[in-house]
Amino acid sequence: MWHAVLPDDAHVRTAYTLDSSTQEIVYVIGPALAIATATCLSPAAALALAAAVTLAGSLAFATARPARTWRATPHRRGRLGVLRPPAMRPLLLSLVALGATVGALDVAAIAVSERQDAPWLAGALPATFSAAGLLGGVLFARLQPTTAPQPRHLMLLGAAFAAGWLPLLAPLPAPATLALAMLPGALFVPLLTVASLTVTSLTPPGTSTEAVGWMSSAIRLGLAGGTALAGPLGGHFAVPLMAAALCALLLSARTAPTPAAIAV
């Protein structure tokens, strides 16, 4: 609905950036609030709080005027739906790999905190990554180009994000590990923002809601897969590095859509 409530594409691009940055606030505050509630009250209370907050947010969104007045664009549904443009498929796969980096990071934070006998690092590392993402998103919103992002921007961000994980492979003291996690963290939101904008630009008319659903599902699938893979591999930082490298590879394989491809 961003296009329905904002005046032009420049505002939409900024909204996507701030949307991604807001998610980073959730990743910082959410776990801390859940742990505090479970500690002071009970785990059941933390679960109930999460359910109540989810319900409140859903009701607030559903009853907001833009949500009530928005109507989908009529379209003829094809067999593949939003997956019709060939460029969409590797792009969604790259979002799975992008989500896997964050899922693997959570496990890596626990593993490195145990290796270095620094329990505080288990929570501080994901929080620092997310805080850096918030800062990177704000800077990107201020400094982003005035025109729509191009495929080369996506490839450059993907390559820089993958390179940002390399220093974390070195055996470093806890403070240095925390500081170095800020580099991929700061690039995460700009990369996610440009990927989201690219997804919407590839979306056939009338399938924007479906596209957002695919995009969210891809990231969450990656989160789950990254966590599941990082555990058996000992929580090594090589796992988010490999996921980020796969993300960059898929982004480099993405081709720009052609009118003929979209019209099929």
Side-chain angles (χ1 to χ4, degrees):
M1 293 185 291
W2 285 126
H3 290 278
V5 298
L6 295 173
D8 52 43
D9 288 342
H11 284 80
V12 171
R13 290 195 295 272
T14 301
Y16 268 102
T17 305
L18 296 178
D19 184 285
S20 300
S21 300
T22 303
Q23 294 182 47
E24 296 303 303
I25 298 176
V26 174
Y27 287 130
V28 174
I29 297 177
L33 183 60
I35 291 172
T37 305
T39 302
C40 298
L41 298 176
S42 69
L47 184 61
L49 176 62
V53 170
T54 301
L55 179 61
S58 299
L59 288 174
F61 177 79
T63 56
R65 183 179 179 183
R68 289 185 287 106
T69 58
W70 179 81
R71 295 294 180 270
T73 303
H75 70 287
R76 186 178 64 182
R77 181 173 178 82
R79 289 185 302 169
L80 295 177
V82 76
L83 299 179
R84 197 187 323 162
M88 184 70 78
R89 301 158 206 168
L91 183 55
L92 288 174
L93 288 174
S94 73
L95 290 176
V96 175
L98 181 63
T101 63
V102 179
L105 173 66
D106 292 339
V107 180
I110 297 172
V112 73
S113 70
E114 293 178 349
R115 287 196 298 267
Q116 301 194 19
D117 195 23
W120 56 270
L121 195 59
L125 190 58
T128 299
F129 182 91
S130 297
L134 175 61
L135 177 60
V138 171
L139 290 175
F140 184 74
R142 294 289 301 271
L143 303 175
Q144 64 177 317
T146 56
T147 58
Q150 302 297 316
R152 67 177 184 276
H153 298 145
L154 199 54
M155 289 185 287
L156 287 173
L157 281 170
F161 180 68
W165 291 97
L166 285 170
L168 290 167
L169 296 179
L172 299 167
T177 300
L178 201 63
L180 288 173
M182 296 182 67
L183 179 56
L187 291 168
F188 179 81
V189 168
L191 177 56
L192 178 59
T193 300
V194 176
S196 301
L197 290 167
T198 307
V199 167
T200 56
S201 70
L202 292 172
T203 302
T207 61
S208 58
T209 303
E210 182 185 352
V212 173
W214 274 102
M215 186 167 58
S216 300
S217 298
I219 294 172
R220 281 158 177 76
L221 178 62
L223 283 166
T227 301
L229 182 62
L233 295 179
H236 200 278
F237 279 112
V239 180
L241 170 61
M242 289 188 295
L246 177 60
C247 175
L249 182 63
L250 288 166
L251 290 175
S252 66
R254 197 192 68 80
T255 55
T258 62
I262 295 179
V264 172

